[in-house]
Amino acid sequence: MMVEISPSTSTDADTDDKNLRFLNSQPVASVTSDGSDKPRDQKTLRRLAQNREAARKSRLRKKAYVQQLESSRMKLTQLEQELQRARQQGIFISSSGDQSQSKTGNGALTFDVEYARWLEEHNRRITELRGAVSSHAGDGELRIIVDGILAHYDDIFRIKGDAAKADVFHILSGMWKTPAERCFLWLGGFRSSELLKLLTNQLEPLTEQQLLAINNLQESSQQAEDALSQGMEALQQSLAETLAGSLGPSGSSGNVANYMGQMAMAMGKLGTLEGFIRQADNLRQQTLQQMHRILTTRQSARALLAISDYFSRLRALSSLWLARPRE
């Protein structure tokens, strides 16, 4: 038997709301041609529920997509700001992706000038040391000159550290060196272990204790160099994988967001390059200091002269190579 519900005549608004909620909570019914109510088919109800769920998921996907676009826009704005700051410092990037340098305000150019001045002063100090050794100066006079040269080496490591913060690729590539020097370059400088090998034959005679200490220093330097080289290789592999992860069909908004995210990760990994340069220079600096402690003052003087002569010959070799006849 059907139950007929008549409209409420009460003036109480709360009563009307309760009636409305009651009606909305009842199962939806359809009216047949003969006037009787019949519950909807379960298949129809299930389809309606699926449609509502699909609409809800569509709204969530749209919301996530909008948030992703906003995040990508913020990252792009940040990169544009960093690029603008780089331009203000005198570093300009062409449309082909090649980096060109301005004549003022550029960290690489500033370092090149400072390095040229450092090298000129270094050569002057080496000439002074050579004269003192040739004239058989006393240990006191030699010690002052040797200490001055070692302190001068500290200056170039400090200058390189500052330059790496401005342009780590310039220091890492060794473009401030001559071509022959770059051939033997390792993380922006010389290998301490290789230099110690060269010095062993130049400093004879050495006592057994000195020879043992030099060999131990060489081994520890080699181990530290191997660790840094492995870390550098791991960084390069990780960087390559990160960049490859952003490859895909161009033009899609999803790929743009992925590209921006991958590039941000790559930028973060590149920041560790400065640390590798700093650690390599610390190793070189410590090697020179340890060598000075192992050797006598006169032996240290001869070692510094040998190091200077070796790099001078590399620079001379570069000049001869560049001036060679070309057919």
Side-chain angles (χ1 to χ4, degrees):
M1 183 180 68
M2 295 181 56
V3 179
E4 182 178 358
I5 303 176
S6 59
S8 173
T9 58
S10 172
T11 58
D12 189 349
D14 293 339
T15 303
D16 291 341
D17 291 341
K18 291 179 181 179
N19 290 335
L20 182 60
R21 285 195 297 270
F22 173 78
L23 288 173
N24 290 337
S25 65
Q26 300 306 302
V28 179
S30 59
V31 180
T32 61
S33 57
D34 59 359
S36 62
D37 291 341
K38 183 180 181 181
R40 287 190 176 182
D41 185 80
Q42 290 296 324
K43 184 177 181 181
T44 302
L45 294 177
R46 188 163 51 250
R47 185 169 60 251
L48 291 175
Q50 291 174 349
N51 290 342
R52 286 194 295 269
E53 180 64 17
R56 185 184 70 83
K57 291 181 178 179
S58 177
R59 289 192 298 270
L60 291 176
R61 285 195 298 269
K62 182 179 179 181
K63 182 179 179 181
Y65 175 70
V66 171
Q67 291 176 344
Q68 187 180 46
L69 287 180
E70 179 64 18
S71 177
S72 299
R73 184 190 66 79
M74 293 176 64
K75 291 179 180 178
L76 180 59
T77 301
Q78 182 180 1
L79 290 176
E80 289 176 345
Q81 292 173 350
E82 292 177 356
L83 178 59
Q84 182 63 28
R85 285 195 295 268
R87 286 172 174 165
Q88 292 174 355
Q89 295 173 359
I91 303 175
F92 299 92
I93 300 178
S94 65
S95 58
S96 63
D98 295 331
Q99 179 173 300
S100 60
Q101 301 175 346
S102 68
K103 294 184 178 180
T104 59
N106 185 277
L109 181 60
T110 300
F111 171 75
D112 289 350
V113 173
E114 291 183 338
Y115 175 70
R117 291 174 180 171
W118 179 90
L119 187 58
E120 181 180 0
E121 174 64 18
H122 177 73
N123 291 335
R124 186 194 67 78
R125 290 174 180 268
I126 289 295
T127 300
E128 181 184 8
L129 178 62
R130 196 182 307 277
V133 171
S134 300
S135 63
H136 304 285
D139 286 351
E141 182 180 351
L142 282 180
R143 186 179 299 109
I144 294 175
I145 301 175
V146 168
D147 290 344
I149 293 176
L150 291 175
H152 194 55
Y153 270 113
D154 293 342
D155 289 340
I156 192 57
F157 295 135
R158 175 185 53 79
I159 293 172
K160 284 177 63 181
D162 293 338
K165 296 177 181 179
D167 190 347
V168 67
F169 291 110
H170 184 69
I171 302 300
L172 189 63
S173 65
M175 296 307 295
W176 42 283
K177 290 280 191 179
T178 59
E181 288 178 293
R182 290 200 297 272
C183 183
F184 298 94
L185 198 71
W186 174 76
L187 290 181
F190 60 84
R191 283 183 177 269
S192 301
S193 60
E194 294 297 327
L195 206 60
L196 289 171
K197 288 181 183 179
L198 296 174
L199 292 177
T200 302
N201 296 329
Q202 299 292 327
L203 299 178
E204 295 179 348
L206 293 171
T207 66
E208 292 184 3
Q209 185 178 2
Q210 286 178 321
L211 189 59
L212 178 61
I214 291 291
N215 290 336
N216 289 338
L217 180 59
Q218 180 183 339
E219 290 180 4
S220 62
S221 297
Q222 182 69 61
Q223 292 173 358
E225 290 166 2
D226 291 343
L228 286 175
S229 295
Q230 291 173 7
M232 189 66 179
E233 291 175 1
L235 172 62
Q236 291 173 332
Q237 181 178 356
S238 176
L239 186 61
E241 292 174 352
T242 299
L243 294 177
S246 62
L247 298 178
S250 60
S252 64
S253 57
N255 188 60
V256 171
N258 182 53
Y259 171 82
M260 296 302 299
Q262 297 291 343
M263 293 303 288
M265 290 176 59
M267 288 287 291
K269 292 180 179 181
L270 282 181
T272 61
L273 284 177
E274 182 185 337
F276 280 104
I277 295 292
R278 184 175 60 254
Q279 292 181 66
D281 274 349
N282 285 340
L283 176 60
R284 287 183 270 263
Q285 187 177 23
Q286 292 173 10
T287 299
L288 290 174
Q289 294 172 351
Q290 289 291 337
M291 180 193 70
H292 181 48
R293 294 189 184 99
I294 295 171
L295 303 176
T296 65
T297 300
R298 199 162 296 273
Q299 287 172 332
S300 293
R302 288 165 52 198
L304 291 173
L305 289 176
I307 293 173
S308 177
D309 289 344
Y310 173 72
F311 287 112
S312 293
R313 292 183 182 186
L314 283 178
R315 289 191 290 271
L317 181 61
S318 295
S319 299
L320 291 173
W321 174 256
L322 295 175
R324 73 190 187 282
R326 294 179 176 85
E327 296 180 356

